[in-house]
Amino acid sequence: MKPVGGADGSARARLHLVPALDDGTPSSLSLSVGDLVVYASHGIGRVESTQSSRGDLPETVVLAFESGLRVTLPVARASEALRAVAGSEDLESVRSTLAADAPPTAESWSRRHRTMREAVAAGSLTGLAEVVRDGLQREWKLAAGAGGRQLAPSERELYLQARKLLTAEIAACCGIETAAADAWIVEQVNSGPEQP
């Protein structure tokens, strides 16, 4: 199978996908070779190629990630799994989520961990922002308390994964370096509730 379209932009194939957004409203997402998309917990990928259906094989899209990972998805699966990179209007929602107080948690550690894991796996922008906000605020509270405790290792790993995914998407959306995007995240969380 030969890819449709080239990396140089000539004869670029356009796929029209209709993924479900966070609120359940469908939105058309159209893909061309070279486009950036978000694939849940894998983060931002670039459309490397598209392949037309052939025989029993469905039409597919090939994504390449910065880590070197390459994923081939049937277009039907891609329409469920991919979403467009956040736009400027999405950043306002992220900003307000990050600046909000983390809700008090009466749930057990295992329930909180499961909720965090599900949010990271879903890869929604708001879900990632909530995990980052809650993890950062919890980390600050634990560090300020007696003994300078830290988050449990598995909870910290999920929080850091969410922070990495959110940072990369903000950087891509704004055209800035990841360090600047991460500093923006911390600034937004700092602008919310008072820190110890």
Side-chain angles (χ1 to χ4, degrees):
M1 270 187 246
K2 290 194 170 221
V4 177
D8 63 356
S10 62
R12 292 170 64 154
R14 274 239 180 275
L15 300 175
H16 297 285
L17 307 179
V18 184
L21 298 177
D22 292 340
D23 64 359
T25 307
S27 171
S28 178
L29 175 64
S30 123
L31 299 175
S32 293
V33 172
D35 287 350
L36 293 178
V37 293
V38 178
Y39 183 27
S41 62
H42 293 293
I44 296 178
R46 184 173 302 278
V47 176
E48 188 172 76
S49 65
T50 59
Q51 299 173 349
S52 300
S53 60
R54 185 170 155 186
D56 291 344
L57 300 174
E59 184 177 13
T60 60
V61 59
V62 179
L63 304 174
F65 296 87
E66 190 174 294
S67 66
L69 175 70
R70 287 198 166 33
V71 176
T72 301
L73 294 172
V75 170
R77 172 70 179 123
S79 69
E80 299 167 359
L82 301 179
R83 66 174 172 81
V85 175
S88 57
E89 61 280 352
D90 299 315
L91 285 183
E92 180 54 33
S93 175
V94 168
R95 189 205 59 72
S96 63
T97 299
L98 290 171
D101 282 323
T105 57
E107 38 182 45
S108 67
W109 177 87
S110 62
R111 175 72 180 136
R112 186 172 69 239
H113 186 266
R114 183 176 38 237
T115 302
M116 288 176 67
R117 189 176 62 237
E118 290 168 357
V120 171
S124 83
L125 206 54
T126 304
L128 292 174
E130 289 172 352
V131 170
V132 170
R133 175 202 62 210
D134 297 352
L136 194 51
Q137 288 181 9
R138 205 167 15 264
E139 196 172 63
W140 286 336
K141 287 176 187 171
L142 288 172
R149 295 179 11 216
Q150 293 184 344
L151 294 172
S154 59
E155 186 176 4
R156 181 166 171 70
E157 183 180 326
L158 283 171
Y159 150 66
L160 291 175
Q161 182 181 1
R163 189 167 170 176
K164 180 180 176 184
L165 293 169
L166 185 62
T167 298
E169 189 160 358
I170 291 169
C173 172
C174 298
I176 59 176
E177 295 294 321
T178 55
D182 191 62
W184 182 84
I185 289 170
V186 173
E187 180 183 319
Q188 301 318 303
V189 176
N190 269 327
S191 72
E194 289 191 29
Q195 302 309 318

